């Protein structure tokens, strides 16, 4: 029996929570759950979608993104958290007393596929297992039903689940992809997902204005190389975040470019914020990203990860470079 449906059937009002770094997997999971729960639960059940930040423009090819709100429903009976089990990635929620109180006192179900161990400061039920995407875990759980029960994976849910799978595997090309990933994609297409429609909508939103193209050229000029070219970094200051993020995520603009530079084994985009926070997004050609991010309180996958610290940028960079050197050297010796 589906753990998701068993959990949700107990409550009249449920909020589905994404972390403060939404991506196609978190948004696809949230929208698919909304569709499935609408189909499965009694009439009158209230499902809301919450994210502490605005859904970035590059994700708005997913139909229903505009139903996600930054107004937390503190009157909900329960919550489902998707695509994270990390305290760091829920810090915006935990900093608000009314939301922290909710999370500590209401029933919570966490669905997450990352390899980093959960460290949430409240009790929760869990569907947590390593996988290529959270949408796989959602699909597998919702498909676990008696043959005589209706299928709650609607065409809308299937489309959003496929979006999450494609997003977290870069179109079924990452090292986490196996034959089962293609079987999952086929199952979702059988249930009504349309991969061509999905990709056309995504490509339309990936078009860049002339202003963004000029900014991308500026970012490329700022790239710094370390460790004999094995590590590439780029600084994205807060002024850039304010000026460009709503139109196009600077990380998305630059990280894939860096990963394709000859000799680069690890690429990191670092954003700075007025409160002293630094965030790092990592993409790697070798399975080192999660290990490096974990060293700074973050996590993710071997080839894609992230972290957040509160340090001065100039003081932090030597520490980051030295740790990256240790991990890359260790991998080269075959001991990582």
């Amino acid at each position: 029996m589906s753990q998701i449906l068993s959990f949700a059937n107990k409550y009249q009002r449920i909020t589905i929570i994404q972390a403060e770094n939404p991506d196609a997997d978190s948004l696809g999971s949230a929208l698919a759950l909304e569709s499935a729960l609408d189909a499965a639960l009694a009439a009158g059940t209230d499902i809301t979608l919450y994210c502490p930040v605005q859904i970035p423009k590059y994700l708005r090819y997913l139909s229903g993104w505009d139903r996600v709100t930054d107004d937390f429903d503190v009157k909900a009976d329960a919550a489902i958290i998707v695509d994270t089990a990390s305290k760091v990635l829920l810090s915006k929620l935990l900093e608000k007393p009314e939301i922290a109180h909710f999370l500590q006192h209401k029933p919570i179900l966490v669905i997450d596929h990352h390899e980093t161990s959960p460290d949430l400061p409240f009790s929760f039920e869990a569907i947590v297992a390593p996988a290529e995407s959270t949408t796989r875990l959602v699909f597998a759980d919702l498909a676990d039903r008696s043959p005589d029960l209706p299928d709650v994976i609607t065409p809308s849910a299937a489309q959003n689940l496929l979006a999450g799978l494609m997003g977290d595997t870069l179109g079924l090309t990452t090292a986490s992809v196996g034959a089962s990933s293609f079987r999952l994609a086929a199952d979702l297409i059988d249930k009504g997902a349309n991969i061509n429609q999905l990709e056309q909508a995504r490509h339309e939103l990936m078009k860049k204005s002339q202003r963004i193209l000029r900014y991308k050229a500026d970012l490329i000029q700022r790239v710094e190389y370390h460790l004999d070219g094995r590590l590439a970094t780029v600084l994205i200051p807060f002024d850039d975040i304010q000026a460009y993020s709503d139109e196009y995520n600077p990380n998305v603009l630059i990280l894939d470019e860096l990963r394709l530079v000859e000799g680069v084994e690890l690429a990191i985009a670092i954003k700075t914020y007025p409160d002293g926070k630094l965030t790092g997004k990592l993409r790697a050609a070798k399975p080192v990203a999660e290990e490096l991010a974990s060293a700074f309180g973050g996590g993710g996958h071997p080839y894609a990860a992230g972290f957040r610290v509160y340090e001065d940028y100039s003081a932090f960079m030597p520490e980051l470079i030295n740790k990256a050197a240790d991990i890359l050297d260790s991998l080269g010796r075959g001991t990582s």
Side-chain angles (χ1 to χ4, degrees):
M1 175 63 178
S2 163
Q3 185 177 347
I4 294 170
L5 297 183
S6 295
F7 175 87
N9 264 314
K10 302 172 189 174
Y11 309 108
Q12 188 71 23
R13 193 164 171 172
I14 300 167
T15 187
I16 300 171
I17 299 171
Q18 296 178 71
E20 55 201 70
N21 62 335
D23 61 11
D25 192 26
S26 70
L27 180 57
S29 296
L31 290 170
L33 282 171
E34 178 194 39
S35 178
L37 295 181
D38 279 344
L41 303 183
T45 303
D46 187 9
I47 309 295
T48 58
L49 302 172
Y50 172 81
C51 185
V53 300
Q54 286 192 340
I55 298 299
K57 183 179 178 181
Y58 77 94
L59 292 176
R60 296 178 187 177
Y61 65 96
L62 290 184
S63 178
W65 70 267
D66 52 341
R67 292 195 296 276
V68 180
T69 177
D70 60 0
D71 184 15
F72 191 86
D73 183 8
V74 294
K75 295 183 178 180
D77 303 314
I80 301 174
I81 298 173
V82 294
D83 201 32
T84 188
S86 167
K87 177 175 64 177
V88 168
L89 294 179
L90 294 175
S91 62
K92 285 184 181 293
L93 283 74
L94 295 169
E95 289 168 358
K96 297 180 179 180
E98 67 279 14
I99 301 179
H101 183 270
F102 177 100
L103 294 172
Q104 289 161 2
H105 293 89
K106 294 294 180 73
I108 309 294
L109 173 64
V110 173
I111 310 172
D112 184 43
H113 74 118
H114 293 97
E115 297 183 18
T116 310
S117 297
D119 65 351
L120 298 174
F122 48 82
S123 300
F124 56 91
E125 295 183 35
I127 301 174
V128 175
E132 71 273 66
S133 68
T134 295
T135 55
R136 168 178 286 283
L137 303 182
V138 173
F139 175 84
D141 184 85
L142 291 176
D144 183 16
R145 71 190 199 288
S146 301
D148 57 330
L149 293 177
D151 188 354
V152 299
I153 303 175
T154 64
S156 173
Q159 185 81 333
N160 286 308
L161 292 171
L162 182 61
L165 174 66
M166 298 291 286
D168 252 25
T169 62
L170 300 180
L172 296 174
T173 63
T174 61
S176 63
V177 169
S180 64
S181 307
F182 286 88
R183 283 192 286 269
L184 173 57
D187 288 341
L188 292 168
I189 291 168
D190 282 342
K191 290 185 178 296
N194 185 318
I195 194 168
N196 177 259
Q197 183 183 85
L198 186 68
E199 284 301 288
Q200 284 193 355
R202 186 178 70 85
H203 287 154
E204 188 65 27
L205 267 186
M206 289 191 70
K207 290 181 178 178
K208 304 171 183 66
S209 67
Q210 293 180 17
R211 186 176 92 101
I212 289 297
L213 192 62
R214 287 191 292 270
Y215 173 56
K216 181 174 182 175
D218 182 42
L219 280 176
I220 291 172
Q221 292 296 317
R222 297 186 211 168
V223 174
E224 296 182 354
Y225 297 96
H226 319 269
L227 308 177
D228 296 324
R230 291 184 296 164
L231 171 64
T233 65
V234 62
L235 173 63
I236 301 170
F238 186 67
D239 286 348
D240 286 17
I241 297 170
Q242 288 184 303
Y244 298 105
S245 285
D246 185 59
E247 186 175 351
Y248 216 103
N249 186 340
N251 289 336
V252 176
L253 271 176
I254 193 67
L255 275 175
D256 277 341
E257 298 288 350
L258 295 187
R259 193 174 52 151
L260 294 174
V261 174
E262 289 182 356
V264 170
E265 298 173 351
L266 180 63
I268 308 176
I270 299 173
K271 292 180 177 179
T272 65
Y273 293 83
D275 60 357
K277 176 176 68 179
L278 304 177
T279 65
K281 290 293 184 184
L282 289 68
R283 296 293 183 269
K286 294 185 176 181
V288 298
E290 193 275 337
E291 184 178 356
L292 180 59
S294 294
F296 299 102
H301 308 284
Y303 295 89
F307 64 80
R308 176 186 305 153
V309 295
Y310 286 85
E311 293 191 36
D312 176 75
Y313 174 78
S314 297
F316 174 68
M317 284 304 294
E319 183 182 0
L320 177 67
I321 293 166
N322 289 337
K323 187 63 179 178
D326 290 343
I327 292 171
L328 289 170
D329 290 344
S330 179
L331 185 68
R333 294 193 297 269
T335 59
S336 177

